[in-house]
Amino acid sequence: MANPVTIGSNCIAQVGSQFFLIAEIEAKTTGVEIDPLFAIRTTAEQARRLIRAGVMRCKIQNTVPRPTRGKDVELKGVLFANGRIFSVFDVENSTDEAVLVRINVAQAQRLISMGVRIIKVIRRPFN
């Protein structure tokens, strides 16, 4: 029997001089589908080591990813990180990746008022 809890999309985002591990926790079993996304502050050294170990860098862009045949796009939430704001999408095709899209305060407020979650940021790096 497969483990019902796994890590989905994950990547390292550099926002200014700060680094964040973006990770989606997926819990799926009969009648349950929970898949929140978190941002965990890391040190620059931790980020470098994770990237060397195979964790991808997050895509940061100005446009919303579009779904196509075989590619699903799901808005996961709004991320406030190091004075910048992003809408974060889970993009699934043959891979599962997080895509950060730069937005402004007005766009963030509109999304949040529509019920989009604010992504939890664990701000103090683990040692």
mmCIF file of all heavy atoms in Angstrom, residues 19-48:
data_model
loop_
_atom_site.group_PDB
_atom_site.id
_atom_site.type_symbol
_atom_site.label_atom_id
_atom_site.label_comp_id
_atom_site.label_asym_id
_atom_site.label_seq_id
_atom_site.Cartn_x
_atom_site.Cartn_y
_atom_site.Cartn_z
ATOM 1 N N PHE A 19 16.306 33.008 0.526
ATOM 2 C CA PHE A 19 15.999 31.757 -0.150
ATOM 3 C C PHE A 19 14.863 31.051 0.580
ATOM 4 O O PHE A 19 14.784 31.091 1.803
ATOM 5 C CB PHE A 19 17.225 30.843 -0.187
ATOM 6 C CG PHE A 19 18.331 31.385 -1.026
ATOM 7 C CD1 PHE A 19 19.267 32.256 -0.492
ATOM 8 C CD2 PHE A 19 18.439 31.035 -2.364
ATOM 9 C CE1 PHE A 19 20.289 32.781 -1.261
ATOM 10 C CE2 PHE A 19 19.458 31.549 -3.149
ATOM 11 C CZ PHE A 19 20.390 32.423 -2.596
ATOM 12 N N PHE A 20 13.998 30.388 -0.194
ATOM 13 C CA PHE A 20 12.853 29.678 0.358
ATOM 14 C C PHE A 20 12.723 28.314 -0.317
ATOM 15 O O PHE A 20 12.847 28.210 -1.537
ATOM 16 C CB PHE A 20 11.554 30.461 0.110
ATOM 17 C CG PHE A 20 11.545 31.813 0.763
ATOM 18 C CD1 PHE A 20 12.092 32.911 0.112
ATOM 19 C CD2 PHE A 20 11.014 31.988 2.022
ATOM 20 C CE1 PHE A 20 12.104 34.159 0.706
ATOM 21 C CE2 PHE A 20 11.019 33.228 2.627
ATOM 22 C CZ PHE A 20 11.563 34.320 1.968
ATOM 23 N N LEU A 21 12.479 27.305 0.487
ATOM 24 C CA LEU A 21 12.101 25.996 -0.035
ATOM 25 C C LEU A 21 10.581 26.017 -0.143
ATOM 26 O O LEU A 21 9.888 26.196 0.856
ATOM 27 C CB LEU A 21 12.554 24.880 0.908
ATOM 28 C CG LEU A 21 12.024 23.478 0.606
ATOM 29 C CD1 LEU A 21 12.478 22.993 -0.761
ATOM 30 C CD2 LEU A 21 12.447 22.513 1.701
ATOM 31 N N ILE A 22 10.079 25.878 -1.352
ATOM 32 C CA ILE A 22 8.642 25.831 -1.596
ATOM 33 C C ILE A 22 8.283 24.352 -1.714
ATOM 34 O O ILE A 22 8.888 23.634 -2.517
ATOM 35 C CB ILE A 22 8.264 26.569 -2.904
ATOM 36 C CG1 ILE A 22 8.829 27.995 -2.926
ATOM 37 C CG2 ILE A 22 6.762 26.530 -3.139
ATOM 38 C CD1 ILE A 22 8.283 28.924 -1.895
ATOM 39 N N ALA A 23 7.322 23.904 -0.904
ATOM 40 C CA ALA A 23 6.978 22.474 -0.910
ATOM 41 C C ALA A 23 5.475 22.283 -0.736
ATOM 42 O O ALA A 23 4.850 22.920 0.108
ATOM 43 C CB ALA A 23 7.726 21.743 0.197
ATOM 44 N N GLU A 24 4.938 21.379 -1.531
ATOM 45 C CA GLU A 24 3.528 20.999 -1.443
ATOM 46 C C GLU A 24 3.441 19.653 -0.726
ATOM 47 O O GLU A 24 4.117 18.699 -1.105
ATOM 48 C CB GLU A 24 2.940 20.874 -2.855
ATOM 49 C CG GLU A 24 1.503 20.451 -2.880
ATOM 50 C CD GLU A 24 1.008 20.189 -4.295
ATOM 51 O OE1 GLU A 24 1.807 19.776 -5.168
ATOM 52 O OE2 GLU A 24 -0.192 20.388 -4.527
ATOM 53 N N ILE A 25 2.645 19.603 0.315
ATOM 54 C CA ILE A 25 2.406 18.357 1.046
ATOM 55 C C ILE A 25 1.097 17.778 0.516
ATOM 56 O O ILE A 25 0.061 18.441 0.576
ATOM 57 C CB ILE A 25 2.276 18.601 2.569
ATOM 58 C CG1 ILE A 25 3.459 19.409 3.103
ATOM 59 C CG2 ILE A 25 2.078 17.296 3.314
ATOM 60 C CD1 ILE A 25 4.793 18.760 2.953
ATOM 61 N N GLU A 26 1.147 16.567 -0.015
ATOM 62 C CA GLU A 26 -0.053 15.941 -0.569
ATOM 63 C C GLU A 26 -0.474 14.773 0.312
ATOM 64 O O GLU A 26 0.315 13.875 0.574
ATOM 65 C CB GLU A 26 0.208 15.441 -1.990
ATOM 66 C CG GLU A 26 0.515 16.552 -2.969
ATOM 67 C CD GLU A 26 0.765 16.043 -4.379
ATOM 68 O OE1 GLU A 26 1.075 14.840 -4.555
ATOM 69 O OE2 GLU A 26 0.669 16.852 -5.313
ATOM 70 N N ALA A 27 -1.723 14.805 0.771
ATOM 71 C CA ALA A 27 -2.305 13.697 1.534
ATOM 72 C C ALA A 27 -3.539 13.237 0.771
ATOM 73 O O ALA A 27 -4.509 13.979 0.638
ATOM 74 C CB ALA A 27 -2.681 14.153 2.936
ATOM 75 N N LYS A 28 -3.464 12.017 0.233
ATOM 76 C CA LYS A 28 -4.562 11.507 -0.593
ATOM 77 C C LYS A 28 -4.885 10.075 -0.224
ATOM 78 O O LYS A 28 -4.003 9.224 -0.169
ATOM 79 C CB LYS A 28 -4.198 11.583 -2.078
ATOM 80 C CG LYS A 28 -4.045 12.994 -2.572
ATOM 81 C CD LYS A 28 -3.717 13.054 -4.039
ATOM 82 C CE LYS A 28 -3.509 14.506 -4.439
ATOM 83 N NZ LYS A 28 -3.123 14.680 -5.808
ATOM 84 N N THR A 29 -6.159 9.844 0.049
ATOM 85 C CA THR A 29 -6.696 8.512 0.274
ATOM 86 C C THR A 29 -8.195 8.606 0.008
ATOM 87 O O THR A 29 -8.703 9.691 -0.293
ATOM 88 C CB THR A 29 -6.375 7.989 1.695
ATOM 89 O OG1 THR A 29 -6.725 6.609 1.761
ATOM 90 C CG2 THR A 29 -7.094 8.765 2.772
ATOM 91 N N THR A 30 -8.901 7.540 0.113
ATOM 92 C CA THR A 30 -10.334 7.541 -0.164
ATOM 93 C C THR A 30 -11.036 8.622 0.656
ATOM 94 O O THR A 30 -10.946 8.644 1.877
ATOM 95 C CB THR A 30 -10.948 6.163 0.162
ATOM 96 O OG1 THR A 30 -10.219 5.170 -0.558
ATOM 97 C CG2 THR A 30 -12.410 6.120 -0.213
ATOM 98 N N GLY A 31 -11.664 9.554 -0.032
ATOM 99 C CA GLY A 31 -12.415 10.618 0.628
ATOM 100 C C GLY A 31 -11.586 11.765 1.169
ATOM 101 O O GLY A 31 -12.127 12.687 1.776
ATOM 102 N N VAL A 32 -10.264 11.733 0.944
ATOM 103 C CA VAL A 32 -9.383 12.789 1.459
ATOM 104 C C VAL A 32 -8.453 13.254 0.342
ATOM 105 O O VAL A 32 -7.811 12.439 -0.315
ATOM 106 C CB VAL A 32 -8.520 12.281 2.637
ATOM 107 C CG1 VAL A 32 -7.532 13.362 3.088
ATOM 108 C CG2 VAL A 32 -9.373 11.815 3.788
ATOM 109 N N GLU A 33 -8.407 14.571 0.142
ATOM 110 C CA GLU A 33 -7.397 15.149 -0.749
ATOM 111 C C GLU A 33 -6.999 16.503 -0.168
ATOM 112 O O GLU A 33 -7.739 17.472 -0.255
ATOM 113 C CB GLU A 33 -7.910 15.315 -2.178
ATOM 114 C CG GLU A 33 -6.813 15.785 -3.096
ATOM 115 C CD GLU A 33 -7.159 15.700 -4.569
ATOM 116 O OE1 GLU A 33 -8.025 14.891 -4.946
ATOM 117 O OE2 GLU A 33 -6.551 16.455 -5.341
ATOM 118 N N ILE A 34 -5.834 16.515 0.475
ATOM 119 C CA ILE A 34 -5.302 17.719 1.106
ATOM 120 C C ILE A 34 -3.959 17.995 0.449
ATOM 121 O O ILE A 34 -3.105 17.106 0.383
ATOM 122 C CB ILE A 34 -5.109 17.504 2.629
ATOM 123 C CG1 ILE A 34 -6.441 17.116 3.275
ATOM 124 C CG2 ILE A 34 -4.526 18.744 3.277
ATOM 125 C CD1 ILE A 34 -6.292 16.616 4.702
ATOM 126 N N ASP A 35 -3.758 19.221 -0.041
ATOM 127 C CA ASP A 35 -2.494 19.510 -0.718
ATOM 128 C C ASP A 35 -2.057 20.970 -0.565
ATOM 129 O O ASP A 35 -1.911 21.694 -1.532
ATOM 130 C CB ASP A 35 -2.550 19.104 -2.188
ATOM 131 C CG ASP A 35 -3.674 19.772 -2.967
ATOM 132 O OD1 ASP A 35 -4.489 20.494 -2.350
ATOM 133 O OD2 ASP A 35 -3.716 19.607 -4.192
ATOM 134 N N PRO A 36 -1.788 21.398 0.684
ATOM 135 C CA PRO A 36 -1.320 22.770 0.886
ATOM 136 C C PRO A 36 0.132 22.939 0.444
ATOM 137 O O PRO A 36 0.879 21.971 0.349
ATOM 138 C CB PRO A 36 -1.449 22.966 2.397
ATOM 139 C CG PRO A 36 -1.203 21.594 2.942
ATOM 140 C CD PRO A 36 -1.850 20.658 1.948
ATOM 141 N N LEU A 37 0.491 24.178 0.212
ATOM 142 C CA LEU A 37 1.846 24.526 -0.171
ATOM 143 C C LEU A 37 2.423 25.446 0.908
ATOM 144 O O LEU A 37 1.716 26.304 1.427
ATOM 145 C CB LEU A 37 1.801 25.241 -1.522
ATOM 146 C CG LEU A 37 3.109 25.346 -2.264
ATOM 147 C CD1 LEU A 37 2.890 24.953 -3.714
ATOM 148 C CD2 LEU A 37 3.641 26.734 -2.191
ATOM 149 N N PHE A 38 3.690 25.257 1.267
ATOM 150 C CA PHE A 38 4.364 26.043 2.290
ATOM 151 C C PHE A 38 5.652 26.622 1.726
ATOM 152 O O PHE A 38 6.222 26.077 0.782
ATOM 153 C CB PHE A 38 4.736 25.170 3.504
ATOM 154 C CG PHE A 38 3.560 24.585 4.205
ATOM 155 C CD1 PHE A 38 3.077 23.335 3.855
ATOM 156 C CD2 PHE A 38 2.921 25.290 5.215
ATOM 157 C CE1 PHE A 38 1.979 22.792 4.496
ATOM 158 C CE2 PHE A 38 1.818 24.753 5.860
ATOM 159 C CZ PHE A 38 1.351 23.500 5.501
ATOM 160 N N ALA A 39 6.119 27.687 2.358
ATOM 161 C CA ALA A 39 7.426 28.264 2.037
ATOM 162 C C ALA A 39 8.260 28.218 3.309
ATOM 163 O O ALA A 39 7.808 28.657 4.364
ATOM 164 C CB ALA A 39 7.279 29.698 1.541
ATOM 165 N N ILE A 40 9.447 27.665 3.209
ATOM 166 C CA ILE A 40 10.327 27.511 4.356
ATOM 167 C C ILE A 40 11.618 28.266 4.075
ATOM 168 O O ILE A 40 12.318 27.959 3.100
ATOM 169 C CB ILE A 40 10.622 26.021 4.621
ATOM 170 C CG1 ILE A 40 9.306 25.267 4.821
ATOM 171 C CG2 ILE A 40 11.556 25.852 5.813
ATOM 172 C CD1 ILE A 40 9.358 23.818 4.441
ATOM 173 N N ARG A 41 11.907 29.263 4.876
ATOM 174 C CA ARG A 41 13.118 30.062 4.700
ATOM 175 C C ARG A 41 14.334 29.180 4.932
ATOM 176 O O ARG A 41 14.362 28.389 5.874
ATOM 177 C CB ARG A 41 13.093 31.218 5.712
ATOM 178 C CG ARG A 41 14.284 32.093 5.647
ATOM 179 C CD ARG A 41 14.021 33.314 4.796
ATOM 180 N NE ARG A 41 14.813 34.444 5.229
ATOM 181 C CZ ARG A 41 16.138 34.499 5.165
ATOM 182 N NH1 ARG A 41 16.831 33.491 4.716
ATOM 183 N NH2 ARG A 41 16.772 35.579 5.559
ATOM 184 N N THR A 42 15.298 29.292 4.047
ATOM 185 C CA THR A 42 16.554 28.559 4.189
ATOM 186 C C THR A 42 17.708 29.553 4.153
ATOM 187 O O THR A 42 17.539 30.699 3.748
ATOM 188 C CB THR A 42 16.768 27.529 3.059
ATOM 189 O OG1 THR A 42 16.982 28.223 1.828
ATOM 190 C CG2 THR A 42 15.588 26.588 2.916
ATOM 191 N N THR A 43 18.847 29.087 4.543
ATOM 192 C CA THR A 43 20.046 29.905 4.377
ATOM 193 C C THR A 43 20.528 29.743 2.932
ATOM 194 O O THR A 43 20.120 28.810 2.223
ATOM 195 C CB THR A 43 21.154 29.456 5.341
ATOM 196 O OG1 THR A 43 21.563 28.122 4.978
ATOM 197 C CG2 THR A 43 20.686 29.500 6.793
ATOM 198 N N ALA A 44 21.404 30.626 2.518
ATOM 199 C CA ALA A 44 21.975 30.514 1.167
ATOM 200 C C ALA A 44 22.721 29.194 1.010
ATOM 201 O O ALA A 44 22.610 28.531 -0.035
ATOM 202 C CB ALA A 44 22.899 31.700 0.890
ATOM 203 N N GLU A 45 23.448 28.778 2.040
ATOM 204 C CA GLU A 45 24.188 27.514 1.979
ATOM 205 C C GLU A 45 23.241 26.322 1.869
ATOM 206 O O GLU A 45 23.480 25.397 1.086
ATOM 207 C CB GLU A 45 25.101 27.366 3.197
ATOM 208 C CG GLU A 45 25.912 26.084 3.206
ATOM 209 C CD GLU A 45 26.857 25.933 2.004
ATOM 210 O OE1 GLU A 45 27.271 26.952 1.406
ATOM 211 O OE2 GLU A 45 27.183 24.777 1.679
ATOM 212 N N GLN A 46 22.161 26.324 2.651
ATOM 213 C CA GLN A 46 21.176 25.241 2.555
ATOM 214 C C GLN A 46 20.577 25.195 1.152
ATOM 215 O O GLN A 46 20.414 24.113 0.570
ATOM 216 C CB GLN A 46 20.069 25.428 3.597
ATOM 217 C CG GLN A 46 20.534 25.172 5.010
ATOM 218 C CD GLN A 46 19.511 25.636 6.034
ATOM 219 O OE1 GLN A 46 18.725 26.559 5.802
ATOM 220 N NE2 GLN A 46 19.514 25.000 7.202
ATOM 221 N N ALA A 47 20.249 26.356 0.610
ATOM 222 C CA ALA A 47 19.684 26.412 -0.744
ATOM 223 C C ALA A 47 20.658 25.841 -1.767
ATOM 224 O O ALA A 47 20.281 25.032 -2.624
ATOM 225 C CB ALA A 47 19.310 27.848 -1.103
ATOM 226 N N ARG A 48 21.922 26.244 -1.671
ATOM 227 C CA ARG A 48 22.942 25.722 -2.598
ATOM 228 C C ARG A 48 23.047 24.209 -2.509
ATOM 229 O O ARG A 48 23.104 23.504 -3.519
ATOM 230 C CB ARG A 48 24.301 26.350 -2.295
ATOM 231 C CG ARG A 48 24.566 27.638 -3.015
ATOM 232 C CD ARG A 48 26.035 28.065 -2.907
ATOM 233 N NE ARG A 48 26.431 28.367 -1.532
ATOM 234 C CZ ARG A 48 26.185 29.513 -0.922
ATOM 235 N NH1 ARG A 48 25.552 30.472 -1.546
ATOM 236 N NH2 ARG A 48 26.588 29.716 0.321
#
